[in-house]
Amino acid sequence: MVIALCIGSLASACGGGTPAKEASPVEWGYEGADAPENWGALSEEFAACADGMEQSPIDITGYQNREAAAIEFSYRDDASEIERHDKFLYVRFPPGSAMTIGERRFELMHAHAHAPSEHAVGGQGFASEMHLVHQSASGELAVVALLYRLGTPDPVIEEMLRSERGEDGATRRYMNINAADFVRRELGYFTYDGSLTTPPCSEGVSWFVMQSAATISQDQVDRLQTISGGPSNRRLQPIGTRSIVAVS
Ligand SMILES: [Zn+2]
């Protein structure tokens, strides 16, 4: 059920699919009547946004350090496409890029960036957060989050912004970057069980928030927010009884 809900909203939230066809007809946003605190009331499908007990994003704090499997990124270096849909730019990857963690393998579906960040670490927010959305063969979702502080421009985000032409609706452009460009040198991560951060806020999502942050310029943040029509972050959600594990 979780997966069906997720697939139905892939345009805005997770991965794969054809956004124009599968997008939820229910409008949602980040301010006014459509703001995140009202998402749960906008549609029955979005009930988890209000009632869910394992929601994302969270403030990453009080975590336990543990020895665990490293993430193995086997991302391909062939070109991807970019698509503007609704509030985000989506980088869509050709099949064959995947992350493996222990026995679990997840195929990379798409990437999109929020500004400011959605997750915080020790109470500190960031300027931006990239979500690399993956799906396993059985439909489980795993999202790798990359954090960005304000600083020098990020070349991958620059390429995303440059490839976009500002047209409304779904647009596709050849993009001169590929999945391998998203892999960072330091692979320490925080992991916990959460949800999509956009409606329908479906739970059962494995989060992997990378510990090392890159930089993004204020100009890039501004351009991302122009596309989203303003800030594109859901507020922090209660951690509840969940635990957070840090793997370095
Ligand atoms: Zn996201």
Side-chain angles (χ1 to χ4, degrees), residues 12-13 30 88 90 110 112-114 118 129-133 143 196-198 207 232:
S12 54
Y30 288 98
F88 295 97
Y90 293 90
H110 80 254
H112 62 272
H114 298 255
E118 298 210 289
E129 178 172 335
M130 183 79 69
H131 289 161
L132 299 167
V133 181
V143 183
L196 302 178
T197 64
T198 53
W207 279 91
S232 54

Side-chain angles (χ1 to χ4, degrees), residues 75-241:
Y75 283 1
R76 292 165 59 106
D77 61 359
D78 45 4
S80 39
E81 289 179 320
I82 194 157
E83 182 170 355
R84 179 177 176 165
H85 183 82
D86 208 358
K87 298 164 184 69
F88 295 97
L89 294 177
Y90 293 90
V91 182
R92 303 225 173 249
F93 302 103
S97 287
M99 64 176 268
T100 308
I101 182 149
E103 301 290 298
R104 306 158 73 197
R105 183 181 188 278
F106 299 90
E107 184 94 1
L108 177 63
M109 311 296 286
H110 80 254
H112 62 272
H114 298 255
S117 73
E118 298 210 289
H119 287 87
V121 179
Q124 184 201 0
F126 292 76
S128 181
E129 178 172 335
M130 183 79 69
H131 289 161
L132 299 167
V133 181
H134 302 71
Q135 196 166 29
S136 74
S138 59
E140 286 176 293
L141 291 174
V143 183
V144 172
L146 308 177
L147 297 167
Y148 300 81
R149 307 177 199 284
L150 273 188
T152 54
D154 180 75
V156 177
I157 289 177
E158 189 58 34
E159 181 63 25
M160 284 173 67
L161 290 163
R162 198 187 63 76
S163 301
E164 199 274 322
R165 294 295 185 271
E167 296 156 23
D168 284 339
T171 59
R172 284 180 182 277
R173 299 280 178 230
Y174 173 76
M175 196 173 156
N176 197 26
I177 61 172
N178 55 63
D181 292 327
F182 289 88
V183 180
R184 294 198 173 162
R185 223 169 292 156
E186 293 172 36
L187 297 181
Y189 62 88
F190 302 106
T191 185
Y192 76 99
D193 296 329
S195 74
L196 302 178
T197 64
T198 53
C201 307
S202 311
E203 296 185 343
V205 177
S206 299
W207 279 91
F208 300 90
V209 179
M210 304 308 286
Q211 293 176 9
S212 76
T215 62
I216 184 172
S217 69
Q218 184 63 54
D219 172 65
Q220 291 180 320
V221 169
D222 293 344
R223 287 151 72 198
L224 286 173
Q225 292 191 343
T226 296
I227 289 164
S228 301
S232 54
N233 63 309
R234 186 187 191 195
R235 71 174 58 171
L236 295 167
Q237 304 294 306
I239 182 72
T241 57

